[in-house]
């Protein structure tokens, strides 16, 4: 918001007006406790990423092999996607093994009221979310908004469709953490 000179409250208000993705229609994030929200994020977004990242990587290799000579941007796309995957996979583990269990312990009073125990991990997650956002932006630019070239085969089309959905789901995933979960914990500005 600072970078774009936007008022955070206005942006959050506009986000809340957006229609929920179909898969989230029956989930009222405002009604979930932080512990419940961590479980939702793991089951919905983490499981999706664990399945799709290897699939996209294989598909990207296939498309690069077939079209790389005519589309040199695919090599840069492969590099950027590899960086994204290398960032996301350990990030998910840190959330699942460190941050989310701490949030659940905090909610069950096993940590008492020691909010500082989770403040550090949350700051790390926020920085990593920004890095993932930058990589997603780069992927969007490299694919010219996921526009399949005229000579793109069916695999090329599927790749760009998968990348576009990956972008959408990851932005929603990050939104749920940054703007719902972390705000519920009252630790972010």
């Amino acid at each position: 918001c600072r970078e774009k000179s936007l008022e955070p409250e206005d942006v959050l208000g506009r986000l809340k007006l957006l229609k929920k993705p179909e898969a989230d229609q029956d989930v009222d994030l405002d009604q979930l406790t932080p512990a419940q929200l961590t479980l939702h994020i793991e089951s919905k977004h983490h499981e999706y990423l664990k399945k799709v990242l290897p699939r996209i990587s294989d598909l990207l290799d296939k498309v690069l092999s077939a079209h790389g000579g005519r589309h040199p941007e695919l090599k840069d796309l492969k590099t950027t996607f590899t960086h994204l995957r290398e960032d996301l996979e350990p990030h998910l583990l840190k959330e699942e093994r460190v941050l989310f269990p701490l949030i659940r312990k905090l909610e069950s009073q096993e940590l008492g009221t020691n909010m500082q125990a989770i403040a550090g991990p949350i700051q790390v997650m926020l920085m990593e979310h920004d890095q993932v956002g930058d990589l997603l932006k780069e992927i969007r630019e490299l694919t010219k908004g996921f526009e399949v070239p005229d000579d793109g085969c069916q695999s090329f089309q599927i790749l760009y469709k998968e990348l576009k959905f990956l972008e959408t789901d990851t932005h929603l995933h990050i939104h749920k953490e940054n703007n719902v979960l972390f705000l519920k914990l009252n630790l972010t500005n």
Side-chain angles (χ1 to χ4, degrees):
C1 289
R2 278 186 221 120
E3 185 178 303
K4 299 287 184 184
S5 299
L6 299 171
E7 286 296 320
E9 290 301 318
D10 292 341
V11 172
L12 184 58
R14 291 190 347 225
L15 284 171
K16 286 182 176 182
L17 292 175
L18 294 175
K19 184 179 175 192
K20 290 181 183 178
E22 268 186 48
D24 276 355
Q25 288 292 339
D26 59 342
V27 177
D28 184 354
L29 300 177
D30 292 332
Q31 297 303 312
L32 297 179
T33 67
Q36 291 169 330
L37 192 50
T38 64
L39 296 171
H40 165 77
I41 290 167
E42 284 183 33
S43 67
K44 168 113 176 89
H45 301 288
H46 287 204
E47 290 305 313
Y48 163 73
L49 285 169
K50 289 175 186 176
K51 290 176 187 168
V52 80
L53 291 172
R55 186 171 67 227
I56 291 175
S57 186
D58 292 344
L59 193 53
L60 186 49
D61 287 340
K62 179 179 177 179
V63 171
L64 179 60
S65 175
H67 296 276
R70 292 183 311 282
H71 295 281
E73 71 277 5
L74 288 170
K75 185 176 180 193
D76 292 335
L77 180 60
K78 174 67 177 175
T79 300
T80 303
F81 178 79
T82 299
H83 289 308
L84 178 70
R85 186 175 177 186
E86 289 170 349
D87 281 2
L88 278 173
E89 288 175 334
H91 177 87
L92 298 177
L93 286 175
K94 284 186 266 186
E95 287 182 346
E96 292 171 6
R97 293 183 182 168
V98 179
L99 180 61
F100 290 176
L102 283 173
I103 290 170
R104 291 190 281 266
K105 283 181 181 179
L106 183 71
E107 191 168 305
S108 69
Q109 299 298 318
E110 289 179 49
L111 289 179
T113 57
N114 185 7
M115 298 299 280
Q116 289 309 103
I118 60 173
I122 286 176
Q123 289 307 312
V124 171
M125 295 301 112
L126 290 168
M127 288 185 330
E128 291 179 2
H129 289 167
D130 288 345
Q131 292 167 343
V132 166
D134 291 343
L135 290 167
L136 289 170
K137 181 180 177 189
E138 190 173 338
I139 288 171
R140 176 172 275 283
E141 290 168 358
L142 287 166
T143 62
K144 296 178 177 57
F146 309 105
E147 186 69 34
V148 179
D150 291 338
D151 64 341
C153 65
Q154 185 174 8
S155 294
F156 213 133
Q157 294 170 19
I158 293 168
L159 172 65
Y160 276 27
K161 182 179 177 184
E162 291 275 2
L163 286 170
K164 185 175 184 177
F165 189 82
L166 171 70
E167 178 195 57
T168 301
D169 186 78
T170 304
H171 282 307
L172 180 59
H173 175 178
I174 291 171
H175 163 71
K176 287 177 182 178
E177 290 181 14
N178 289 2
N179 302 312
V180 182
L181 177 61
F182 298 163
L183 288 179
K184 283 179 184 267
L185 297 168
N186 211 17
L187 290 170
T188 57
N189 297 342

